[in-house]
Amino acid sequence: MSLETDLEHRLKKDIEGDVFCDRFSRGRYATDASVYQMFPRAVVVPKSFADVEATLAIAREAGVPVLPRGGGTSQCGQTVNDAIVIDFSKHLNRIVEVDRENRTAVVEPGLVLDHLNSALKSDGLWFPVDVSTASRATLGGMAANNSCGARSIRYGIMRDNVRALDVLLADGGQARFEETSREVAGLNALRDNQQLVRDLLDLGEREQQEIRTKFPDLVRRVGGYNIDALMPNGATNKLHELLVGSEGTLAVTRQLTLKLSPVLGKKALGLCHFPTFYEAMDCTRHLVELGPTAVELIDRNMIELGRAIPMFKPVVDEFVRGEPAAVLMVEFAEDDQDENLRRLAALHDRMADLGYRWGDPGKKEGGVVDAVDPAFQSRIMEVRKQGLNIMMSMKSEGKPVSFIEDCAVRLEDLAEYTDRLTGIFRKYGTEGTWYAHASVGTLHVRPVLNLKLDQDVKKMRAIAEEAFEMVREYKGSHSGEHGDGIVRSEFNGPMFGDRMMRNFEWVKDRFDPDGLLNPGRVVRAPKMDDRSLMRYAPDYSVPDIETVFDWSDYPGSAGGFQGAVEMCNNNGACRKIADGVMCPSYRVTRNEKDLTRGRANTLRLAISGQLGPDAFTSDDMAETLKLCVSCKGCRRECPTGIDMAKMKIEVLAARAKKNGVRLREKLVAYLPRYAPVASRLPWLMNLRDRIPGMALLSEKVLGLAASRTLPRWQGDWIRQPPASQETPDVLLFVDTFSRYFEPENIRAAETVLQRAGFKVGQAVAQNGERPLCCGRTFLSAGLAEDARAEMLRTVTTLAPALERGATVIGLEPSCVLTFRDEAPALLGDAWKAEYANQFLLFEEFIAKASGEGRFDLPLAPLPQQKALVHGHCHQKAFNTMGALQKTLGLIPDLKVDVIPSSCCGMAGSFGYQAETLDISRAMGELSLLPRIREADPDTLIVAGGTSCRHQIEDGANRKAVHAARLLCQASDLAQAAI
């Protein structure tokens, strides 16, 4: 039995949690948010800490390293290694205890920061190390990395906010590191490790002068080990600070005791605009004198990239005035809001004193935009939090690369440092993107490089060497927030000197003599430009493959599909489990496989040949994408634009071409073609859910879940009207589902539009052909050519009306929005860009017409005065929920409340499949179905998608209706009152 096989056998035998040793699974843990890639030996997802202990024991016996991992969002390569990866994030994520009186919390290392703060909110407390990745950053990872956050000028960094660490040592022993008396006799909590503690304190005493000489006097110094915590400095030492920032190289964390702070109250935010970047940096030191809680930078590049991303453009346009070279976001958050406003006024005065005020002939172009409204502030801060992903949204081969991105210097040196660093970039033919923590002299700067090119890898090293030399000149820190990892550990020697490196190595060896824990990080590091460790190794290539869609907006082979897949930077925004839509399957399973990130990584590895031959069309790839419900949440919410729904179609199409399509998928795909015949015998088509045993038989034969009823065919389905000589104002596009299963929705929409004064026609096929279709059902099965044929038939038929400016209105979001998404990428020259503005959802048209004063329809109050609204995923992805709310708001006295839900879980055929039924229902139970069950019987339930309405009825026993029916009812009541 080989070593690898024996390791897998032992792990699976002794571990209660999941153990993954296949190449697909290991590939999903081979990368983090850095430029590096290293396949782990195995992946363990422990259910308990006993699993962690067992894994460490097996690794110790086998001589295989271990890498503890949280969210896997390291930017420096801390969380990839040739090791057994232990993923703490799925199960070891509890809040163990909260001491409100002493403002402390004990947590497990896999707990996400946002989840902790959400739980603390009712007590008026929070953990204030507010990193931009708070929606997925785990507390264990933050401690290992010595994370900082935007408000470190007020609260300090991670080492300042950790009170104690309970750990598992490399030899299997346990210890608690906390503030401890220097008297060895007092080390009761560490009595089993007294010699270790004595040796550590001796080191601190022996090397205190060297430490004071070599360690930069900055808050943002997170490189190397924190052996300054061991120096004599009073009667006690905070021994846990040594482990904070050690990147999993000294011990494995069991629990963290954290220091909590009162939540921030009302805030005042000033957006300081500057005509040049240098001036913004030079003025920072003067602005911090006003006592802000944060001063964050957004540079011109980030402003332009933010404006290019649909979800950020409205916010950027709202807070950015003109075309500044840089904006400094200055936040005041004192207990007294009057004091915040006073400081905001002082900020205006300070800017004027510095020479910046709009409209003043004697001043430079610039000034302050105020943000006092909390909702406005929240939108602005979200843009700032997404700074990294906004920067990484560049579609070119070159990307902003993280390797010198968080050097820290004193504020008085900041302007000169950034100016000189810009000069270094120009020397090597590139430029940098800048953002983040101006308040503490730590700016995230990333030169744009293409690391697939050896020449650009050489540039990376040259820039790093010159930049770090300059940082030493300024007595700054080469690592000011994101740690060492692979990219900066190599430079700890030049930064701290040979003697200090020997001290670091002594600490490593004293804790971990066999090099078991995350070796090669902090000390004894590989070269940062070793291409064999990089995501794009020297032999990396992607062959040309046939694709369905037009990916030409992206670089690379397969018509740009390569570049689209490679847009994933692993920053993990898809790991959030609250707010927005993505990624609904991950919210249920918490498995890396079910993330947009996990799927994108697997696709990249597959198309580049790293998962074996034919990986792209393999069953393992199908399993990787199995729980992707094509919600398109990632299309909008992934700041780098990963559209996994469209990428999944590429895989399905390739598999369909290679293997054919199963009968069940054919029945779904070809529904629009056989529906005209089937609809004539609705009683026959509905027998499956009426005759006992038929549903069970359909599950055994077709895989259709027996416990899920199918949509009911209606006898009064929508017939196509005869051709009309009139020229209608609008054309109703009657989708297959509305036509045969919910015709009442179409009739209601038609009534509303006609009563509002519009001439309404129906989008009718030519020459008596079967009804027009969007092609979506074919796309769901990978039958791309059939989908293209359906779209082309529809667009060709409607072209004369579209050319004269007609509007096509539909009710089903997944169908209508296909013409704004997939159709342009499938139809080539047959599609015109302006058509996208002419295919509108019913509520979009009503909201638009109402805003233009063209919707003249009396509406009366409904008997029910409250409506709970669930948005279809595609409505959210295309930002049409505002139109739906505005449309419902036309009904007098109706209070509209949007449920903050992700995907309902039905997702077309996904919820009908036996193998995905449980996941489908679990998605509904995340937030949607419980909220509906809580609603009183008089509350209306509104849902835009037919599948959403089915899920709601099936899971909450409530009828949901389309908005068109509510408007029709309100119109009926208004007419009855005349």
Side-chain angles (χ1 to χ4, degrees):
M1 185 178 288
S2 69
L3 173 62
E4 294 297 329
T5 305
D6 181 56
L7 181 66
E8 178 179 356
H9 173 76
R10 287 208 55 192
L11 288 170
K12 290 184 175 179
K13 174 176 174 290
D14 294 352
I15 303 300
E16 182 185 4
D18 294 322
V19 175
F20 302 110
C21 295
D22 64 284
R23 192 159 180 83
F24 271 72
S25 296
R26 290 188 295 118
R28 286 186 274 270
Y29 284 85
T31 48
D32 51 18
S34 72
V35 301
Y36 299 103
Q37 175 178 294
M38 298 179 70
F39 273 76
R41 304 279 187 95
V43 176
V44 173
V45 183
K47 276 194 174 180
S48 66
F49 210 82
D51 278 353
V52 179
E53 294 177 296
T55 302
L56 195 60
I58 293 168
R60 192 164 53 246
E61 184 177 321
V64 176
V66 167
L67 167 59
R69 175 163 155 150
T73 59
S74 160
Q75 294 179 36
C76 304
Q78 293 97 320
T79 52
V80 295
N81 214 325
D82 176 25
I84 300 171
V85 167
I86 305 178
D87 182 351
F88 284 78
S89 64
K90 182 172 181 177
H91 297 296
L92 299 181
N93 52 20
R94 296 181 305 126
I95 299 174
V96 178
E97 177 188 353
V98 175
D99 184 339
R100 292 157 182 82
E101 183 177 346
N102 292 307
R103 294 180 181 169
T104 62
V106 180
V107 303
E108 291 182 331
L111 179 67
V112 169
L113 174 58
D114 269 357
H115 304 171
L116 172 63
N117 282 335
S118 178
L120 294 172
K121 190 174 182 180
S122 60
D123 294 310
L125 299 172
W126 75 315
F127 187 68
V129 185
D130 55 337
V131 294
S132 62
T133 54
S135 64
R136 61 270 194 198
T138 62
L139 274 305
M142 290 172 63
N145 207 44
N146 201 2
S147 297
C148 301
R151 297 180 174 92
S152 61
I153 192 174
R154 172 66 59 90
Y155 295 103
I157 62 177
M158 198 70 186
R159 71 180 287 181
D160 303 309
N161 291 277
V162 174
R163 289 281 183 85
L165 292 171
D166 292 282
V167 301
L168 180 67
L169 299 173
D171 63 6
Q174 297 185 20
R176 178 178 175 85
F177 285 80
E178 59 187 339
E179 187 169 2
T180 306
S181 168
R182 290 187 65 83
E183 296 296 327
V184 175
L187 299 175
N188 295 326
L190 285 162
R191 59 182 178 273
D192 296 331
N193 299 283
Q194 283 199 28
Q195 188 59 53
L196 170 62
V197 174
R198 183 182 293 111
D199 291 346
L200 293 173
L201 294 177
D202 285 348
L203 172 70
E205 186 166 3
R206 183 175 65 250
E207 295 295 318
Q208 57 183 305
Q209 186 56 46
E210 183 72 6
I211 293 169
R212 290 191 175 95
T213 301
K214 296 296 185 181
F215 275 31
D217 185 20
L218 295 169
V219 172
R220 291 301 194 97
R221 195 277 304 160
V222 302
Y225 291 128
N226 293 327
I227 62 174
D228 54 325
L230 305 175
M231 296 190 303
N233 186 24
T236 62
N237 281 85
K238 297 178 180 179
L239 295 179
H240 54 280
E241 291 187 4
L242 173 65
L243 298 185
V244 174
S246 61
E247 302 186 357
T249 63
L250 301 182
V252 178
T253 302
R254 292 174 57 93
Q255 292 182 348
L256 305 88
T257 302
L258 306 174
K259 171 188 172 185
L260 307 178
S261 297
V263 295
L264 293 175
K266 293 183 177 180
K267 299 184 287 288
L269 192 63
L271 292 309
C272 300
H273 291 54
F274 293 89
T276 72
F277 185 85
Y278 185 93
E279 289 170 302
M281 297 300 92
D282 190 45
C283 289
T284 300
R285 54 196 168 118
H286 303 295
L287 302 184
V288 299
E289 294 172 353
L290 300 175
T293 47
V295 180
E296 296 287 290
L297 167 70
I298 297 178
D299 81 339
R300 182 70 200 151
N301 281 328
M302 185 170 168
I303 291 169
E304 291 178 350
L305 288 168
R307 282 175 168 160
I309 299 173
M311 70 180 296
F312 295 131
K313 184 181 188 307
V315 186
V316 174
D317 289 343
E318 193 177 4
F319 75 80
V320 176
R321 178 172 170 177
E323 304 294 328
V327 173
L328 290 176
M329 302 166 50
V330 183
E331 179 193 76
F332 302 105
E334 304 304 313
D335 294 337
D336 181 4
Q337 180 68 347
D338 288 340
E339 174 61 18
N340 293 328
L341 296 176
R342 186 192 69 76
R343 295 192 188 192
L344 184 59
L347 180 64
H348 282 263
D349 293 340
R350 181 61 58 91
M351 284 288 287
D353 291 343
L354 292 169
Y356 305 94
R357 185 158 56 199
W358 286 299
D360 188 334
K363 305 289 185 184
K364 296 179 182 178
E365 185 70 11
V368 184
V369 171
D370 292 347
V372 179
D373 174 63
F376 185 25
Q377 293 172 355
S378 180
R379 293 194 297 273
I380 294 170
M381 291 306 292
E382 182 59 26
V383 172
R384 159 55 199 99
K385 282 185 177 182
Q386 294 292 350
L388 168 61
N389 286 321
I390 290 173
M391 292 299 186
M392 296 301 289
S393 68
M394 291 182 180
K395 293 180 180 179
S396 58
E397 287 276 17
K399 294 286 192 297
V401 180
S402 171
F403 62 102
I404 56 167
E405 90 285 357
D406 61 336
C407 297
V409 298
R410 295 173 300 176
L411 289 184
E412 53 264 38
D413 297 323
L414 188 59
E416 184 178 295
Y417 162 72
T418 55
D419 190 54
R420 290 176 62 188
L421 191 55
T422 298
I424 293 175
F425 297 159
R426 289 173 180 157
K427 173 182 174 181
Y428 292 99
T430 186
E431 61 178 351
T433 59
W434 303 82
Y435 69 101
H437 317 303
S439 59
V440 287
T442 300
L443 296 180
H444 297 327
V445 54
R446 293 182 166 217
V448 177
L449 298 168
N450 179 8
L451 295 188
K452 293 173 187 168
L453 304 177
D454 189 63
Q455 64 194 46
D456 277 23
V457 175
K458 288 182 169 65
K459 287 181 183 179
M460 179 177 79
R461 177 161 203 98
I463 291 170
E465 289 177 346
E466 292 192 36
F468 293 153
E469 175 61 35
M470 185 168 58
V471 169
R472 288 194 294 274
E473 177 186 332
Y474 286 118
K475 301 188 185 306
S477 172
H478 72 316
S479 183
E481 179 168 12
H482 294 149
D484 295 338
I486 300 174
V487 78
R488 277 192 288 272
S489 291
E490 173 193 351
F491 295 96
N492 281 335
M495 191 72 201
F496 295 103
D498 292 342
R499 178 171 174 176
M500 191 59 65
M501 279 305 297
R502 289 195 295 273
N503 289 330
F504 290 164
E505 290 170 357
W506 180 91
V507 169
K508 169 66 175 175
D509 294 340
R510 186 64 183 83
F511 274 89
D512 181 22
D514 297 322
L516 187 71
L517 302 177
N518 203 14
R521 310 299 175 261
V522 185
V523 298
R524 304 186 181 102
K527 294 293 185 183
M528 59 93 75
D529 55 338
D530 182 346
R531 292 193 67 191
S532 69
L533 303 180
M534 290 187 175
R535 195 178 303 185
Y536 305 123
D539 60 349
Y540 181 88
S541 67
V542 175
D544 225 15
I545 57 177
E546 183 181 351
T547 59
V548 169
F549 294 111
D550 177 6
W551 298 95
S552 59
D553 284 346
Y554 299 90
S557 69
F561 181 60
Q562 172 190 355
V565 171
E566 291 172 355
M567 286 298 293
C568 178
N569 67 2
N570 282 270
N571 194 252
C574 44
R575 288 180 65 92
K576 64 180 182 179
I577 63 169
D579 302 325
V581 177
M582 75 166 182
C583 190
S585 51
Y586 172 73
R587 296 183 185 198
V588 171
T589 70
R590 305 291 178 90
N591 291 329
E592 184 72 22
K593 174 175 71 71
D594 302 318
L595 275 172
T596 300
R597 177 179 78 175
R599 294 166 183 142
N601 273 323
T602 307
L603 281 170
R604 178 180 54 80
L605 293 168
I607 63 177
S608 59
Q610 298 180 70
L611 298 178
D614 301 321
F616 185 64
T617 56
S618 67
D619 290 344
D620 284 326
M621 179 59 72
E623 184 66 23
T624 298
L625 296 170
K626 176 181 174 180
L627 299 186
C628 172
V629 293
S630 300
C631 65
K632 294 187 180 289
C634 52
R635 181 190 182 278
R636 173 173 172 80
E637 295 173 25
C638 172
T640 60
I642 295 295
D643 189 343
M644 190 50 60
K646 205 176 282 184
M647 293 176 183
K648 179 179 179 180
I649 292 171
E650 293 287 2
V651 175
L652 291 174
R655 282 179 57 82
K657 192 171 183 178
K658 177 182 177 183
N659 306 321
V661 178
R662 293 172 54 191
L663 178 57
R664 181 184 65 189
E665 279 63 42
K666 284 183 178 178
L667 285 173
V668 174
Y670 286 95
L671 173 64
R673 293 190 182 170
Y674 66 75
V677 176
S679 62
R680 296 171 188 169
L681 299 169
W683 59 271
L684 179 63
M685 300 303 295
N686 292 329
L687 286 180
R688 184 263 191 188
D689 292 327
R690 289 182 174 177
I691 298 178
M694 286 287 287
L696 187 59
L697 180 63
S698 76
E699 181 170 320
K700 290 181 178 179
V701 176
L702 298 173
L704 293 171
S707 61
R708 181 83 85 175
T709 60
L710 299 180
R712 287 182 57 80
W713 294 79
Q714 302 297 315
D716 62 340
W717 52 276
I718 303 290
R719 273 72 173 174
Q720 292 194 103
S724 173
Q725 300 303 313
E726 291 190 7
T727 302
D729 299 321
V730 296
L731 288 172
L732 266 178
F733 177 79
V734 185
D735 63 273
T736 302
F737 306 102
S738 297
R739 183 181 298 278
Y740 299 109
F741 303 119
E742 295 183 290
E744 63 276 11
N745 293 336
I746 293 294
R747 294 190 174 100
E750 187 173 33
T751 298
V752 168
L753 292 168
Q754 288 175 340
R755 287 178 181 173
F758 297 100
K759 291 181 182 178
V760 182
Q762 192 178 125
V764 180
Q766 297 174 342
N767 304 321
E769 294 180 351
R770 58 185 170 78
L772 300 174
C773 172
C774 69
R776 174 153 294 284
T777 57
F778 292 103
L779 288 177
S780 70
L783 298 171
E785 289 307 314
D786 290 285
R788 183 184 285 110
E790 292 295 336
M791 290 180 191
L792 185 59
R793 185 170 70 97
T794 298
V795 171
T796 301
T797 301
L798 298 179
L802 293 169
E803 288 298 323
R804 70 169 183 263
T807 300
V808 179
I809 300 174
L811 272 63
E812 179 61 35
S814 60
C815 293
V816 176
L817 296 173
T818 294
F819 292 102
R820 305 227 294 257
D821 189 13
E822 287 88 358
L826 271 176
L827 297 183
D829 293 339
W831 179 265
K832 294 185 179 180
E834 57 266 27
Y835 289 172
N837 298 320
Q838 294 171 256
F839 281 87
L840 297 179
L841 289 169
F842 171 80
E843 59 268 19
E844 287 185 290
F845 178 79
I846 298 297
K848 184 173 184 287
S850 174
E852 295 169 351
R854 297 188 297 119
F855 186 72
D856 184 18
L857 179 66
L859 299 172
L862 298 173
Q864 306 91 339
Q865 295 185 340
K866 183 177 180 181
L868 269 181
V869 180
H870 165 70
H872 186 285
C873 293
H874 294 189
Q875 287 175 295
K876 297 168 186 172
F878 287 84
N879 199 29
T880 68
M881 286 301 293
L884 177 58
Q885 290 175 262
K886 184 175 180 179
T887 296
L888 291 171
L890 297 173
I891 301 174
D893 303 331
L894 183 65
K895 180 184 177 184
V896 178
D897 189 4
V898 176
I899 302 171
S901 52
S902 180
C903 179
C904 73
M906 185 62 82
S909 63
F910 182 86
Y912 296 102
Q913 298 170 170
E915 70 272 21
T916 53
L917 175 67
D918 291 342
I919 297 295
S920 166
R921 287 178 168 163
M923 287 182 188
E925 295 295 343
L926 288 172
S927 57
L928 173 62
L929 297 179
R931 182 69 185 278
I932 290 175
R933 292 191 198 104
E934 293 169 0
D936 61 71
D938 290 333
T939 297
L940 295 165
I941 310 298
V942 181
T946 183
S947 58
C948 304
R949 293 188 288 272
H950 198 139
Q951 177 81 311
I952 290 168
E953 183 173 4
D954 187 70
N957 198 29
R958 293 289 297 270
K959 283 277 189 182
V961 298
H962 192 279
R965 292 182 62 187
L966 293 189
L967 261 67
C968 188
Q969 184 182 354
S971 173
D972 289 343
L973 292 171
Q975 286 198 347
I978 296 175

